[in-house]
mmCIF file with all atom_site columns, all heavy atoms in Angstrom:
data_model
loop_
_atom_site.group_PDB
_atom_site.id
_atom_site.type_symbol
_atom_site.label_atom_id
_atom_site.label_alt_id
_atom_site.label_comp_id
_atom_site.label_asym_id
_atom_site.label_entity_id
_atom_site.label_seq_id
_atom_site.pdbx_PDB_ins_code
_atom_site.Cartn_x
_atom_site.Cartn_y
_atom_site.Cartn_z
_atom_site.occupancy
_atom_site.B_iso_or_equiv
_atom_site.pdbx_formal_charge
_atom_site.auth_seq_id
_atom_site.auth_comp_id
_atom_site.auth_asym_id
_atom_site.auth_atom_id
_atom_site.pdbx_PDB_model_num
ATOM 1   N N   . VAL A 1 16 ? 4.149   22.621 -18.662 1.00 0.00 ? 16 VAL A N   1
ATOM 2   C CA  . VAL A 1 16 ? 4.067   21.447 -19.536 1.00 0.00 ? 16 VAL A CA  1
ATOM 3   C C   . VAL A 1 16 ? 4.496   20.223 -18.738 1.00 0.00 ? 16 VAL A C   1
ATOM 4   O O   . VAL A 1 16 ? 5.624   20.175 -18.216 1.00 0.00 ? 16 VAL A O   1
ATOM 5   C CB  . VAL A 1 16 ? 4.957   21.595 -20.784 1.00 0.00 ? 16 VAL A CB  1
ATOM 6   C CG1 . VAL A 1 16 ? 4.891   20.318 -21.641 1.00 0.00 ? 16 VAL A CG1 1
ATOM 7   C CG2 . VAL A 1 16 ? 4.528   22.800 -21.604 1.00 0.00 ? 16 VAL A CG2 1
ATOM 8   N N   . ILE A 1 17 ? 3.596   19.251 -18.607 1.00 0.00 ? 17 ILE A N   1
ATOM 9   C CA  . ILE A 1 17 ? 3.912   18.000 -17.925 1.00 0.00 ? 17 ILE A CA  1
ATOM 10  C C   . ILE A 1 17 ? 4.728   17.127 -18.879 1.00 0.00 ? 17 ILE A C   1
ATOM 11  O O   . ILE A 1 17 ? 4.248   16.734 -19.945 1.00 0.00 ? 17 ILE A O   1
ATOM 12  C CB  . ILE A 1 17 ? 2.628   17.262 -17.493 1.00 0.00 ? 17 ILE A CB  1
ATOM 13  C CG1 . ILE A 1 17 ? 1.768   18.151 -16.585 1.00 0.00 ? 17 ILE A CG1 1
ATOM 14  C CG2 . ILE A 1 17 ? 2.967   15.949 -16.804 1.00 0.00 ? 17 ILE A CG2 1
ATOM 15  C CD1 . ILE A 1 17 ? 2.394   18.489 -15.267 1.00 0.00 ? 17 ILE A CD1 1
ATOM 16  N N   . VAL A 1 18 ? 5.955   16.833 -18.514 1.00 0.00 ? 18 VAL A N   1
ATOM 17  C CA  . VAL A 1 18 ? 6.843   16.053 -19.383 1.00 0.00 ? 18 VAL A CA  1
ATOM 18  C C   . VAL A 1 18 ? 6.639   14.559 -19.202 1.00 0.00 ? 18 VAL A C   1
ATOM 19  O O   . VAL A 1 18 ? 6.682   13.788 -20.158 1.00 0.00 ? 18 VAL A O   1
ATOM 20  C CB  . VAL A 1 18 ? 8.319   16.428 -19.123 1.00 0.00 ? 18 VAL A CB  1
ATOM 21  C CG1 . VAL A 1 18 ? 9.261   15.547 -19.938 1.00 0.00 ? 18 VAL A CG1 1
ATOM 22  C CG2 . VAL A 1 18 ? 8.554   17.902 -19.442 1.00 0.00 ? 18 VAL A CG2 1
ATOM 23  N N   . GLY A 1 19 ? 6.386   14.121 -17.967 1.00 0.00 ? 19 GLY A N   1
ATOM 24  C CA  . GLY A 1 19 ? 6.322   12.679 -17.707 1.00 0.00 ? 19 GLY A CA  1
ATOM 25  C C   . GLY A 1 19 ? 7.725   12.107 -17.636 1.00 0.00 ? 19 GLY A C   1
ATOM 26  O O   . GLY A 1 19 ? 8.626   12.714 -17.060 1.00 0.00 ? 19 GLY A O   1
ATOM 27  N N   . PHE A 1 20 ? 7.924   10.935 -18.221 1.00 0.00 ? 20 PHE A N   1
ATOM 28  C CA  . PHE A 1 20 ? 9.251   10.321 -18.248 1.00 0.00 ? 20 PHE A CA  1
ATOM 29  C C   . PHE A 1 20 ? 10.085  10.988 -19.341 1.00 0.00 ? 20 PHE A C   1
ATOM 30  O O   . PHE A 1 20 ? 9.788   10.819 -20.531 1.00 0.00 ? 20 PHE A O   1
ATOM 31  C CB  . PHE A 1 20 ? 9.153   8.818  -18.505 1.00 0.00 ? 20 PHE A CB  1
ATOM 32  C CG  . PHE A 1 20 ? 8.477   8.046  -17.407 1.00 0.00 ? 20 PHE A CG  1
ATOM 33  C CD1 . PHE A 1 20 ? 7.182   7.592  -17.547 1.00 0.00 ? 20 PHE A CD1 1
ATOM 34  C CD2 . PHE A 1 20 ? 9.156   7.780  -16.224 1.00 0.00 ? 20 PHE A CD2 1
ATOM 35  C CE1 . PHE A 1 20 ? 6.550   6.890  -16.533 1.00 0.00 ? 20 PHE A CE1 1
ATOM 36  C CE2 . PHE A 1 20 ? 8.537   7.078  -15.203 1.00 0.00 ? 20 PHE A CE2 1
ATOM 37  C CZ  . PHE A 1 20 ? 7.245   6.630  -15.359 1.00 0.00 ? 20 PHE A CZ  1
ATOM 38  N N   . PRO A 1 21 ? 11.163  11.706 -18.988 1.00 0.00 ? 21 PRO A N   1
ATOM 39  C CA  . PRO A 1 21 ? 11.954  12.384 -20.021 1.00 0.00 ? 21 PRO A CA  1
ATOM 40  C C   . PRO A 1 21 ? 12.605  11.416 -21.007 1.00 0.00 ? 21 PRO A C   1
ATOM 41  O O   . PRO A 1 21 ? 12.795  11.755 -22.178 1.00 0.00 ? 21 PRO A O   1
ATOM 42  C CB  . PRO A 1 21 ? 13.022  13.126 -19.210 1.00 0.00 ? 21 PRO A CB  1
ATOM 43  C CG  . PRO A 1 21 ? 12.481  13.224 -17.826 1.00 0.00 ? 21 PRO A CG  1
ATOM 44  C CD  . PRO A 1 21 ? 11.637  12.005 -17.633 1.00 0.00 ? 21 PRO A CD  1
ATOM 45  N N   . GLY A 1 22 ? 12.946  10.213 -20.553 1.00 0.00 ? 22 GLY A N   1
ATOM 46  C CA  . GLY A 1 22 ? 13.634  9.272  -21.426 1.00 0.00 ? 22 GLY A CA  1
ATOM 47  C C   . GLY A 1 22 ? 12.722  8.353  -22.222 1.00 0.00 ? 22 GLY A C   1
ATOM 48  O O   . GLY A 1 22 ? 13.210  7.444  -22.910 1.00 0.00 ? 22 GLY A O   1
ATOM 49  N N   . LEU A 1 23 ? 11.405  8.576  -22.153 1.00 0.00 ? 23 LEU A N   1
ATOM 50  C CA  . LEU A 1 23 ? 10.474  7.694  -22.856 1.00 0.00 ? 23 LEU A CA  1
ATOM 51  C C   . LEU A 1 23 ? 10.420  8.046  -24.337 1.00 0.00 ? 23 LEU A C   1
ATOM 52  O O   . LEU A 1 23 ? 10.195  9.201  -24.707 1.00 0.00 ? 23 LEU A O   1
ATOM 53  C CB  . LEU A 1 23 ? 9.081   7.813  -22.238 1.00 0.00 ? 23 LEU A CB  1
ATOM 54  C CG  . LEU A 1 23 ? 8.000   6.883  -22.799 1.00 0.00 ? 23 LEU A CG  1
ATOM 55  C CD1 . LEU A 1 23 ? 8.326   5.437  -22.471 1.00 0.00 ? 23 LEU A CD1 1
ATOM 56  C CD2 . LEU A 1 23 ? 6.627   7.258  -22.252 1.00 0.00 ? 23 LEU A CD2 1
ATOM 57  N N   . HIS A 1 24 ? 10.602  7.043  -25.186 1.00 0.00 ? 24 HIS A N   1
ATOM 58  C CA  . HIS A 1 24 ? 10.550  7.255  -26.635 1.00 0.00 ? 24 HIS A CA  1
ATOM 59  C C   . HIS A 1 24 ? 9.107   7.487  -27.064 1.00 0.00 ? 24 HIS A C   1
ATOM 60  O O   . HIS A 1 24 ? 8.182   6.843  -26.551 1.00 0.00 ? 24 HIS A O   1
ATOM 61  C CB  . HIS A 1 24 ? 11.131  6.036  -27.365 1.00 0.00 ? 24 HIS A CB  1
ATOM 62  C CG  . HIS A 1 24 ? 11.418  6.286  -28.812 1.00 0.00 ? 24 HIS A CG  1
ATOM 63  N ND1 . HIS A 1 24 ? 10.462  6.117  -29.796 1.00 0.00 ? 24 HIS A ND1 1
ATOM 64  C CD2 . HIS A 1 24 ? 12.546  6.719  -29.438 1.00 0.00 ? 24 HIS A CD2 1
ATOM 65  C CE1 . HIS A 1 24 ? 10.985  6.412  -30.961 1.00 0.00 ? 24 HIS A CE1 1
ATOM 66  N NE2 . HIS A 1 24 ? 12.251  6.782  -30.782 1.00 0.00 ? 24 HIS A NE2 1
ATOM 67  N N   . PRO A 1 25 ? 8.876   8.406  -28.018 1.00 0.00 ? 25 PRO A N   1
ATOM 68  C CA  . PRO A 1 25 ? 7.496   8.687  -28.462 1.00 0.00 ? 25 PRO A CA  1
ATOM 69  C C   . PRO A 1 25 ? 6.732   7.467  -28.957 1.00 0.00 ? 25 PRO A C   1
ATOM 70  O O   . PRO A 1 25 ? 5.497   7.452  -28.903 1.00 0.00 ? 25 PRO A O   1
ATOM 71  C CB  . PRO A 1 25 ? 7.708   9.702  -29.590 1.00 0.00 ? 25 PRO A CB  1
ATOM 72  C CG  . PRO A 1 25 ? 8.996   10.386 -29.258 1.00 0.00 ? 25 PRO A CG  1
ATOM 73  C CD  . PRO A 1 25 ? 9.846   9.327  -28.625 1.00 0.00 ? 25 PRO A CD  1
ATOM 74  N N   . SER A 1 26 ? 7.429   6.447  -29.427 1.00 0.00 ? 26 SER A N   1
ATOM 75  C CA  . SER A 1 26 ? 6.733   5.251  -29.917 1.00 0.00 ? 26 SER A CA  1
ATOM 76  C C   . SER A 1 26 ? 6.007   4.511  -28.803 1.00 0.00 ? 26 SER A C   1
ATOM 77  O O   . SER A 1 26 ? 5.141   3.675  -29.075 1.00 0.00 ? 26 SER A O   1
ATOM 78  C CB  . SER A 1 26 ? 7.729   4.313  -30.607 1.00 0.00 ? 26 SER A CB  1
ATOM 79  O OG  . SER A 1 26 ? 8.737   3.884  -29.711 1.00 0.00 ? 26 SER A OG  1
ATOM 80  N N   . TYR A 1 27 ? 6.354   4.803  -27.535 1.00 0.00 ? 27 TYR A N   1
ATOM 81  C CA  . TYR A 1 27 ? 5.714   4.141  -26.398 1.00 0.00 ? 27 TYR A CA  1
ATOM 82  C C   . TYR A 1 27 ? 4.636   5.006  -25.755 1.00 0.00 ? 27 TYR A C   1
ATOM 83  O O   . TYR A 1 27 ? 4.082   4.624  -24.731 1.00 0.00 ? 27 TYR A O   1
ATOM 84  C CB  . TYR A 1 27 ? 6.759   3.770  -25.349 1.00 0.00 ? 27 TYR A CB  1
ATOM 85  C CG  . TYR A 1 27 ? 7.744   2.726  -25.807 1.00 0.00 ? 27 TYR A CG  1
ATOM 86  C CD1 . TYR A 1 27 ? 9.040   3.097  -26.198 1.00 0.00 ? 27 TYR A CD1 1
ATOM 87  C CD2 . TYR A 1 27 ? 7.401   1.379  -25.867 1.00 0.00 ? 27 TYR A CD2 1
ATOM 88  C CE1 . TYR A 1 27 ? 9.951   2.147  -26.619 1.00 0.00 ? 27 TYR A CE1 1
ATOM 89  C CE2 . TYR A 1 27 ? 8.313   0.433  -26.291 1.00 0.00 ? 27 TYR A CE2 1
ATOM 90  C CZ  . TYR A 1 27 ? 9.585   0.815  -26.667 1.00 0.00 ? 27 TYR A CZ  1
ATOM 91  O OH  . TYR A 1 27 ? 10.475  -0.124 -27.096 1.00 0.00 ? 27 TYR A OH  1
ATOM 92  N N   . PHE A 1 28 ? 4.345   6.164  -26.328 1.00 0.00 ? 28 PHE A N   1
ATOM 93  C CA  . PHE A 1 28 ? 3.381   7.071  -25.718 1.00 0.00 ? 28 PHE A CA  1
ATOM 94  C C   . PHE A 1 28 ? 1.992   6.430  -25.613 1.00 0.00 ? 28 PHE A C   1
ATOM 95  O O   . PHE A 1 28 ? 1.341   6.503  -24.570 1.00 0.00 ? 28 PHE A O   1
ATOM 96  C CB  . PHE A 1 28 ? 3.305   8.374  -26.512 1.00 0.00 ? 28 PHE A CB  1
ATOM 97  C CG  . PHE A 1 28 ? 4.413   9.336  -26.202 1.00 0.00 ? 28 PHE A CG  1
ATOM 98  C CD1 . PHE A 1 28 ? 5.497   8.964  -25.428 1.00 0.00 ? 28 PHE A CD1 1
ATOM 99  C CD2 . PHE A 1 28 ? 4.385   10.645 -26.698 1.00 0.00 ? 28 PHE A CD2 1
ATOM 100 C CE1 . PHE A 1 28 ? 6.532   9.837  -25.138 1.00 0.00 ? 28 PHE A CE1 1
ATOM 101 C CE2 . PHE A 1 28 ? 5.405   11.533 -26.409 1.00 0.00 ? 28 PHE A CE2 1
ATOM 102 C CZ  . PHE A 1 28 ? 6.483   11.133 -25.637 1.00 0.00 ? 28 PHE A CZ  1
ATOM 103 N N   . GLN A 1 29 ? 1.527   5.816  -26.701 1.00 0.00 ? 29 GLN A N   1
ATOM 104 C CA  . GLN A 1 29 ? 0.192   5.221  -26.692 1.00 0.00 ? 29 GLN A CA  1
ATOM 105 C C   . GLN A 1 29 ? 0.101   4.073  -25.688 1.00 0.00 ? 29 GLN A C   1
ATOM 106 O O   . GLN A 1 29 ? -0.898  3.931  -24.969 1.00 0.00 ? 29 GLN A O   1
ATOM 107 C CB  . GLN A 1 29 ? -0.172  4.727  -28.096 1.00 0.00 ? 29 GLN A CB  1
ATOM 108 C CG  . GLN A 1 29 ? -0.430  5.831  -29.099 1.00 0.00 ? 29 GLN A CG  1
ATOM 109 C CD  . GLN A 1 29 ? -1.637  6.674  -28.720 1.00 0.00 ? 29 GLN A CD  1
ATOM 110 O OE1 . GLN A 1 29 ? -2.703  6.149  -28.392 1.00 0.00 ? 29 GLN A OE1 1
ATOM 111 N NE2 . GLN A 1 29 ? -1.480  7.992  -28.748 1.00 0.00 ? 29 GLN A NE2 1
ATOM 112 N N   . LEU A 1 30 ? 1.150   3.249  -25.638 1.00 0.00 ? 30 LEU A N   1
ATOM 113 C CA  . LEU A 1 30 ? 1.169   2.145  -24.683 1.00 0.00 ? 30 LEU A CA  1
ATOM 114 C C   . LEU A 1 30 ? 1.106   2.670  -23.251 1.00 0.00 ? 30 LEU A C   1
ATOM 115 O O   . LEU A 1 30 ? 0.369   2.137  -22.408 1.00 0.00 ? 30 LEU A O   1
ATOM 116 C CB  . LEU A 1 30 ? 2.427   1.302  -24.888 1.00 0.00 ? 30 LEU A CB  1
ATOM 117 C CG  . LEU A 1 30 ? 2.622   0.119  -23.930 1.00 0.00 ? 30 LEU A CG  1
ATOM 118 C CD1 . LEU A 1 30 ? 1.492   -0.885 -24.089 1.00 0.00 ? 30 LEU A CD1 1
ATOM 119 C CD2 . LEU A 1 30 ? 3.979   -0.547 -24.167 1.00 0.00 ? 30 LEU A CD2 1
ATOM 120 N N   . MET A 1 31 ? 1.866   3.724  -22.978 1.00 0.00 ? 31 MET A N   1
ATOM 121 C CA  . MET A 1 31 ? 1.862   4.303  -21.635 1.00 0.00 ? 31 MET A CA  1
ATOM 122 C C   . MET A 1 31 ? 0.499   4.909  -21.310 1.00 0.00 ? 31 MET A C   1
ATOM 123 O O   . MET A 1 31 ? 0.015   4.803  -20.180 1.00 0.00 ? 31 MET A O   1
ATOM 124 C CB  . MET A 1 31 ? 2.957   5.374  -21.535 1.00 0.00 ? 31 MET A CB  1
ATOM 125 C CG  . MET A 1 31 ? 3.234   5.839  -20.126 1.00 0.00 ? 31 MET A CG  1
ATOM 126 S SD  . MET A 1 31 ? 3.888   4.532  -19.063 1.00 0.00 ? 31 MET A SD  1
ATOM 127 C CE  . MET A 1 31 ? 5.470   4.227  -19.839 1.00 0.00 ? 31 MET A CE  1
ATOM 128 N N   . ALA A 1 32 ? -0.127  5.537  -22.313 1.00 0.00 ? 32 ALA A N   1
ATOM 129 C CA  . ALA A 1 32 ? -1.449  6.128  -22.087 1.00 0.00 ? 32 ALA A CA  1
ATOM 130 C C   . ALA A 1 32 ? -2.481  5.059  -21.754 1.00 0.00 ? 32 ALA A C   1
ATOM 131 O O   . ALA A 1 32 ? -3.279  5.225  -20.823 1.00 0.00 ? 32 ALA A O   1
ATOM 132 C CB  . ALA A 1 32 ? -1.884  6.909  -23.327 1.00 0.00 ? 32 ALA A CB  1
ATOM 133 N N   . TRP A 1 33 ? -2.466  3.957  -22.499 1.00 0.00 ? 33 TRP A N   1
ATOM 134 C CA  . TRP A 1 33 ? -3.396  2.858  -22.199 1.00 0.00 ? 33 TRP A CA  1
ATOM 135 C C   . TRP A 1 33 ? -3.119  2.255  -20.821 1.00 0.00 ? 33 TRP A C   1
ATOM 136 O O   . TRP A 1 33 ? -4.051  1.866  -20.103 1.00 0.00 ? 33 TRP A O   1
ATOM 137 C CB  . TRP A 1 33 ? -3.306  1.774  -23.270 1.00 0.00 ? 33 TRP A CB  1
ATOM 138 C CG  . TRP A 1 33 ? -4.086  2.079  -24.500 1.00 0.00 ? 33 TRP A CG  1
ATOM 139 C CD1 . TRP A 1 33 ? -3.618  2.474  -25.721 1.00 0.00 ? 33 TRP A CD1 1
ATOM 140 C CD2 . TRP A 1 33 ? -5.520  2.036  -24.623 1.00 0.00 ? 33 TRP A CD2 1
ATOM 141 N NE1 . TRP A 1 33 ? -4.659  2.677  -26.596 1.00 0.00 ? 33 TRP A NE1 1
ATOM 142 C CE2 . TRP A 1 33 ? -5.836  2.420  -25.961 1.00 0.00 ? 33 TRP A CE2 1
ATOM 143 C CE3 . TRP A 1 33 ? -6.562  1.732  -23.762 1.00 0.00 ? 33 TRP A CE3 1
ATOM 144 C CZ2 . TRP A 1 33 ? -7.147  2.487  -26.424 1.00 0.00 ? 33 TRP A CZ2 1
ATOM 145 C CZ3 . TRP A 1 33 ? -7.866  1.808  -24.218 1.00 0.00 ? 33 TRP A CZ3 1
ATOM 146 C CH2 . TRP A 1 33 ? -8.147  2.171  -25.529 1.00 0.00 ? 33 TRP A CH2 1
ATOM 147 N N   . PHE A 1 34 ? -1.854  2.172  -20.452 1.00 0.00 ? 34 PHE A N   1
ATOM 148 C CA  . PHE A 1 34 ? -1.491  1.618  -19.145 1.00 0.00 ? 34 PHE A CA  1
ATOM 149 C C   . PHE A 1 34 ? -2.076  2.457  -18.016 1.00 0.00 ? 34 PHE A C   1
ATOM 150 O O   . PHE A 1 34 ? -2.710  1.929  -17.085 1.00 0.00 ? 34 PHE A O   1
ATOM 151 C CB  . PHE A 1 34 ? 0.033   1.551  -19.025 1.00 0.00 ? 34 PHE A CB  1
ATOM 152 C CG  . PHE A 1 34 ? 0.525   1.140  -17.667 1.00 0.00 ? 34 PHE A CG  1
ATOM 153 C CD1 . PHE A 1 34 ? 0.383   -0.164 -17.222 1.00 0.00 ? 34 PHE A CD1 1
ATOM 154 C CD2 . PHE A 1 34 ? 1.137   2.067  -16.828 1.00 0.00 ? 34 PHE A CD2 1
ATOM 155 C CE1 . PHE A 1 34 ? 0.841   -0.550 -15.963 1.00 0.00 ? 34 PHE A CE1 1
ATOM 156 C CE2 . PHE A 1 34 ? 1.591   1.694  -15.571 1.00 0.00 ? 34 PHE A CE2 1
ATOM 157 C CZ  . PHE A 1 34 ? 1.441   0.392  -15.143 1.00 0.00 ? 34 PHE A CZ  1
ATOM 158 N N   . PHE A 1 35 ? -1.915  3.770  -18.098 1.00 0.00 ? 35 PHE A N   1
ATOM 159 C CA  . PHE A 1 35 ? -2.432  4.634  -17.040 1.00 0.00 ? 35 PHE A CA  1
ATOM 160 C C   . PHE A 1 35 ? -3.954  4.753  -17.114 1.00 0.00 ? 35 PHE A C   1
ATOM 161 O O   . PHE A 1 35 ? -4.603  4.955  -16.076 1.00 0.00 ? 35 PHE A O   1
ATOM 162 C CB  . PHE A 1 35 ? -1.780  6.015  -17.109 1.00 0.00 ? 35 PHE A CB  1
ATOM 163 C CG  . PHE A 1 35 ? -0.413  6.043  -16.496 1.00 0.00 ? 35 PHE A CG  1
ATOM 164 C CD1 . PHE A 1 35 ? 0.722   5.937  -17.282 1.00 0.00 ? 35 PHE A CD1 1
ATOM 165 C CD2 . PHE A 1 35 ? -0.255  6.157  -15.128 1.00 0.00 ? 35 PHE A CD2 1
ATOM 166 C CE1 . PHE A 1 35 ? 1.992   5.954  -16.717 1.00 0.00 ? 35 PHE A CE1 1
ATOM 167 C CE2 . PHE A 1 35 ? 0.998   6.170  -14.544 1.00 0.00 ? 35 PHE A CE2 1
ATOM 168 C CZ  . PHE A 1 35 ? 2.127   6.067  -15.344 1.00 0.00 ? 35 PHE A CZ  1
ATOM 169 N N   . PHE A 1 36 ? -4.526  4.632  -18.304 1.00 0.00 ? 36 PHE A N   1
ATOM 170 C CA  . PHE A 1 36 ? -5.987  4.608  -18.422 1.00 0.00 ? 36 PHE A CA  1
ATOM 171 C C   . PHE A 1 36 ? -6.553  3.375  -17.725 1.00 0.00 ? 36 PHE A C   1
ATOM 172 O O   . PHE A 1 36 ? -7.561  3.456  -17.012 1.00 0.00 ? 36 PHE A O   1
ATOM 173 C CB  . PHE A 1 36 ? -6.390  4.617  -19.892 1.00 0.00 ? 36 PHE A CB  1
ATOM 174 C CG  . PHE A 1 36 ? -7.872  4.566  -20.119 1.00 0.00 ? 36 PHE A CG  1
ATOM 175 C CD1 . PHE A 1 36 ? -8.662  5.686  -19.910 1.00 0.00 ? 36 PHE A CD1 1
ATOM 176 C CD2 . PHE A 1 36 ? -8.492  3.391  -20.526 1.00 0.00 ? 36 PHE A CD2 1
ATOM 177 C CE1 . PHE A 1 36 ? -10.038 5.643  -20.114 1.00 0.00 ? 36 PHE A CE1 1
ATOM 178 C CE2 . PHE A 1 36 ? -9.864  3.332  -20.730 1.00 0.00 ? 36 PHE A CE2 1
ATOM 179 C CZ  . PHE A 1 36 ? -10.642 4.463  -20.521 1.00 0.00 ? 36 PHE A CZ  1
ATOM 180 N N   . PHE A 1 37 ? -5.881  2.234  -17.897 1.00 0.00 ? 37 PHE A N   1
ATOM 181 C CA  . PHE A 1 37 ? -6.306  1.000  -17.213 1.00 0.00 ? 37 PHE A CA  1
ATOM 182 C C   . PHE A 1 37 ? -6.199  1.172  -15.701 1.00 0.00 ? 37 PHE A C   1
ATOM 183 O O   . PHE A 1 37 ? -7.103  0.768  -14.951 1.00 0.00 ? 37 PHE A O   1
ATOM 184 C CB  . PHE A 1 37 ? -5.447  -0.170 -17.684 1.00 0.00 ? 37 PHE A CB  1
ATOM 185 C CG  . PHE A 1 37 ? -5.636  -1.426 -16.878 1.00 0.00 ? 37 PHE A CG  1
ATOM 186 C CD1 . PHE A 1 37 ? -6.742  -2.236 -17.080 1.00 0.00 ? 37 PHE A CD1 1
ATOM 187 C CD2 . PHE A 1 37 ? -4.706  -1.790 -15.905 1.00 0.00 ? 37 PHE A CD2 1
ATOM 188 C CE1 . PHE A 1 37 ? -6.924  -3.391 -16.330 1.00 0.00 ? 37 PHE A CE1 1
ATOM 189 C CE2 . PHE A 1 37 ? -4.886  -2.946 -15.158 1.00 0.00 ? 37 PHE A CE2 1
ATOM 190 C CZ  . PHE A 1 37 ? -6.000  -3.747 -15.364 1.00 0.00 ? 37 PHE A CZ  1
#
Side-chain angles (χ1 to χ4, degrees):
V16 177
I17 303 295
V18 175
F20 295 104
L23 184 66
H24 194 273
S26 61
Y27 294 103
F28 280 10
Q29 289 296 312
L30 178 62
M31 192 64 66
W33 279 106
F34 174 72
F35 280 98
F36 179 75
F37 170 78

